[in-house]
């Protein structure tokens, strides 16, 4: 169920400042440069789906980005602003992402997550992602393995 008043739509260049600020406020979100954010919106390869969740007009509450390599997609990032967490926004973003992925011929979503990121792991577990492996020493600052998770799209 999507939170009341939430609008999920394709991310656009006008969202970059808000998305970058939101990501900077979260330790597990990507801390990319503005140029990197803009490039992901306009790059032709890999093809990406980038969605923004608006809590109110112009107020970005969260975002999700996935790269497409049909029949698979990699969830590159999902983030929700601290003041909007635990309201169902991440679930709504993932559900909207799945619609776009299915339309693109994707049948499985893959992702990496830090073992220490308990909230994200709980979300993925609730959405039926299963552990598919581990990448030793994948993360830096602090150093940590990555858990590989996968979910088939039906």
């Amino acid at each position: 169920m999507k939170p009341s008043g939430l609008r999920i739509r394709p991310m656009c260049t006008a969202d970059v400042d808000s998305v970058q600020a939101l990501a900077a406020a979260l330790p597990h979100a990507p801390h990319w440069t503005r140029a990197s954010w803009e490039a992901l919106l306009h790059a032709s390869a890999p093809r990406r789906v980038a969605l923004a969740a608006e809590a109110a007009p112009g107020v970005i509450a969260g975002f999700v980005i996935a790269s497409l390599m049909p029949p698979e997609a990699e969830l590159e990032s999902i983030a929700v602003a601290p003041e909007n967490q635990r309201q169902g926004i991440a679930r709504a973003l993932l559900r909207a992402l799945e619609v776009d992925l299915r339309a693109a011929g994707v049948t499985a979503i893959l992702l990496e997550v830090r073992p220490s990121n308990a909230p994200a792991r709980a979300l993925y577990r609730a959405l039926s992602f299963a552990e598919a492996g581990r990448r030793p020493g994948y993360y830096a600052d602090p150093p940590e393995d990555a858990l590989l998770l996968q979910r088939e799209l039906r």
Side-chain angles (χ1 to χ4, degrees):
M1 184 167 158
K2 187 167 74 170
S4 178
L6 188 71
R7 177 177 170 236
I8 297 178
R9 58 167 177 74
M11 190 185 300
C12 63
T13 303
D15 299 324
V16 170
D17 288 337
S18 296
V19 167
Q20 189 175 16
L22 188 160
L26 298 166
H28 296 296
H31 296 163
W32 299 331
T33 64
R34 179 177 176 74
S36 296
W37 285 105
E38 289 178 354
L40 82 82
L41 293 174
H42 302 292
S44 58
R47 183 172 160 228
R48 288 188 169 92
V49 173
L51 303 174
E54 274 187 325
V59 179
I60 303 299
F63 65 86
V64 65
I65 303 164
S67 57
L68 282 64
M69 301 152 286
E72 297 176 339
E74 180 181 357
L75 180 64
E76 293 184 271
S77 185
I78 183 167
V80 175
E83 65 273 15
N84 297 111
Q85 291 178 1
R86 310 224 27 100
Q87 297 176 19
I89 294 172
R91 284 177 188 260
L93 280 163
L94 285 170
R95 285 189 185 110
L97 175 66
E98 287 179 11
V99 170
D100 288 355
L101 295 180
R102 282 188 190 97
V106 170
T107 60
I109 304 174
L110 311 169
L111 64 92
E112 294 103 6
V113 65
R114 287 179 179 267
S116 63
N117 190 342
R121 290 182 61 204
L123 171 68
Y124 299 139
R125 190 171 32 257
L127 295 174
S128 302
F129 280 85
E131 191 169 333
R134 185 178 281 260
R135 288 194 175 136
Y138 182 80
Y139 292 107
D141 196 25
E144 194 169 3
D145 292 351
L147 292 178
L148 302 175
L149 304 179
Q150 181 173 349
R151 179 167 175 255
E152 300 298 319
L153 296 179
R154 297 184 186 105

